[in-house]
């Protein structure tokens, strides 16, 4: 079913000929050609058609035999993004087994740390003689314990997007939570490697990802990675992706990797400012009138008064043009359906 939906969308795709040609031609250039681009950034307002274009690029890449992966706001952090890449590579017959094992270990150790955080947040002396609650009565963690546990996870960098939240946290509580959690981690985990995996997961997991990408994509003409809705995922993917793409901190990516970011805003200059020469920036504008009319015609909307209404109401934003066309009135003077 999903494949049929993708084919229908591909068949009905309208416009963006320049952007399609640019991506297609890029896949015709070998990586050592100075004209070849490794990193694209598609940007534009909501409704301008970024996701549709990115999905079309993905389809083009697959038609060229590329190994592809697509992520959006469904990933809540870097390990989740790695898992999404691994899962999609696996569906294309290129499983990243070493990464899957490392991620499974990380999830298990992370669960143990979060359990330890709750214990570490409990007031000293609150346990009964056998280590349980006083009098043997089961009790959940107190609000204070949960707060200290959450602060501890934040203090150790285990909360996605913590950089944006740190200013709103109580520094004393963060420090107290982190200190308690470090002690709990040291007591609970199985030596230095497990502790490193939980406290510095990117440092441990990313080299495994890079190695697996090199192995799985060795005989693929291209490896294309797409990170959509980047206005939402950028806060926790930015630094990781910058280092992954522009440095060898995590190992050397093969040179037939092409990465696409797609979001509403420009890239953060504080993160990407020194690497903008490596970025092909592609701002998307609304459709031209001819493109919007072509999309309407493809959907069977040809009555001129209705066409003019759609052009006026949509501002020629592709998503709105398509939505209004699907909910068009039966004829001139009719009412738009909700």
């Amino acid at each position: 079913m999903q494949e049929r939906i993708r084919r229908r969308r591909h068949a009905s795709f309208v416009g963006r000929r320049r952007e399609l040609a640019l991506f297609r031609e890029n896949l015709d250039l070998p990586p050592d050609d100075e004209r070849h681009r490794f990193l694209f950034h598609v940007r534009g307002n909501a409704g301008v058609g970024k996701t549709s274009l990115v999905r079309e690029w993905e389809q083009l890449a697959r038609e060229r035999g590329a190994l592809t992966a697509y992520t959006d706001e469904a990933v809540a952090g870097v390990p989740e993004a790695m898992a999404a890449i691994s899962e999609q590579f696996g569906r294309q017959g290129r499983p990243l087994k070493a990464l899957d094992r490392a991620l499974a270990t990380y999830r298990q150790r992370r669960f143990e740390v979060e359990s330890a955080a709750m214990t570490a947040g409990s007031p000293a002396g609150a346990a009964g003689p056998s280590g349980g609650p006083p009098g043997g009565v089961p009790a959940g963690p107190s609000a204070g314990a949960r707060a200290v546990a959450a602060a501890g996870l934040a203090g150790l960098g285990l909360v996605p997007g913590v950089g944006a939240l740190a200013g709103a946290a109580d520094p004393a509580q963060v420090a107290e939570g982190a200190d308690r959690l470090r002690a709990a981690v040291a007591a609970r985990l199985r030596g230095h490697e497990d502790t490193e995996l939980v406290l510095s997961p990117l440092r441990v997991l990313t080299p495994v990802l890079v190695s697996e990408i090199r192995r799985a994509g060795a005989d693929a003409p291209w490896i294309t990675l797409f990170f959509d809705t980047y206005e939402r995922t950028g806060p926790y993917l930015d630094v990781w992706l910058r280092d992954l793409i522009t440095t060898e901190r995590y190992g050397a990516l093969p040179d037939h990797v092409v990465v696409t970011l797609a979001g509403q805003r420009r890239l953060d200059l504080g993160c990407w400012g020194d690497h903008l020469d490596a970025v092909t920036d592609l701002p998307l504008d609304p459709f031209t009138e001819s493109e919007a009319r072509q999309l309407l015609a493809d959907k069977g909307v040809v009555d001129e008064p209705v066409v003019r209404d759609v052009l006026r109401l949509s501002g020629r934003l592709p998503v709105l043009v398509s939505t209004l066309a699907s909910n068009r009135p039966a004829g001139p003077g009719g009412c738009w359906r909700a």
Side-chain angles (χ1 to χ4, degrees):
M1 179 180 69
Q2 290 92 336
E3 180 61 26
R4 289 187 183 279
I5 291 173
R6 281 193 291 268
R7 288 178 181 175
R8 289 175 185 176
R9 286 179 174 172
H10 177 61
S12 63
F13 187 82
V14 171
R16 307 304 183 198
R17 297 306 172 195
R18 181 181 72 88
E19 291 81 6
L20 289 173
L22 177 64
F23 192 78
R24 185 185 299 110
E25 290 164 5
N26 194 60
L27 298 183
D28 289 334
L29 298 172
D32 60 357
D33 191 307
E34 289 296 322
R35 295 169 295 170
H36 177 77
R37 310 304 295 174
F38 298 98
L39 177 60
F40 292 95
H41 179 227
V42 178
R43 60 181 172 87
N45 293 333
V48 81
K50 299 181 295 297
T51 295
S52 296
L53 176 62
V54 166
R55 286 299 200 181
E56 195 68 12
W57 280 7
E58 183 184 22
Q59 181 65 30
L60 285 174
R62 288 198 177 188
E63 290 172 357
R64 300 295 183 91
L67 193 57
T68 73
Y70 169 94
T71 70
D72 55 20
E73 73 274 14
V75 300
V78 175
E80 290 79 5
M82 294 188 204
I85 292 170
S86 180
E87 190 270 336
Q88 291 174 62
F89 279 15
R91 289 206 308 254
Q92 295 165 70
R94 310 291 179 89
L96 309 185
K97 293 182 179 180
L99 178 62
D100 289 340
R101 289 193 296 269
L103 285 167
T105 301
Y106 167 72
R107 294 187 193 103
Q108 177 61 32
R109 301 296 179 262
R110 172 68 184 262
F111 173 77
E112 294 171 3
V113 165
E114 290 172 346
S115 299
M118 290 302 182
T119 303
S122 300
S130 62
V137 178
S142 67
R146 287 194 297 269
V148 171
L153 294 170
L156 294 184
L158 298 178
V159 177
V162 70
L165 302 174
D170 180 352
Q173 193 173 56
V174 169
E176 178 187 3
D179 287 344
R180 289 190 185 183
L181 190 50
R182 283 192 186 94
V185 167
R188 181 67 66 91
L189 296 183
R190 302 164 178 80
H192 174 74
E193 289 185 2
D194 281 352
T195 302
E196 184 78 1
L197 176 61
V198 171
L199 298 186
S200 304
L202 306 192
R203 190 185 309 165
V204 177
L205 294 172
T206 310
V208 182
L209 170 70
V210 171
S211 176
E212 286 286 82
I213 284 177
R214 294 183 68 90
R215 179 192 58 77
D219 59 350
W222 296 103
I223 302 167
T224 54
L225 306 177
F226 301 92
F227 298 89
D228 200 3
T229 57
Y230 203 67
E231 69 277 3
R232 299 186 184 181
T233 60
Y236 48 83
L237 293 182
D238 246 358
V239 173
W240 174 68
L241 278 175
R242 181 202 62 194
D243 291 346
L244 179 66
I245 295 167
T246 65
T247 77
E248 294 188 26
R249 178 178 180 180
Y250 302 119
L253 281 174
D255 63 0
H256 61 304
V257 172
V258 178
V259 177
T260 298
L261 314 177
Q264 294 183 18
R265 298 184 290 271
R266 293 179 179 272
L267 291 179
D268 179 12
L269 292 180
C271 179
W272 294 93
D274 292 337
H275 306 284
L276 292 181
D277 59 325
V279 180
T280 299
D281 187 53
L282 288 175
L284 294 187
D285 295 321
F287 272 172
T288 63
E289 181 172 334
S290 63
E291 289 173 331
R293 285 178 175 274
Q294 181 183 344
L295 176 57
L296 291 172
D298 288 347
K299 290 182 174 292
V301 181
V302 293
D303 185 82
E304 184 59 26
V306 176
V307 170
R308 286 199 299 267
D309 275 349
V310 172
L311 296 178
R312 175 178 57 83
L313 293 169
S314 68
R316 302 196 309 277
L317 286 173
V319 172
L320 288 180
V321 172
S322 180
T323 300
L324 289 172
S326 299
N327 294 276
R328 65 188 183 277
C335 296
W336 293 96
R337 297 196 299 271

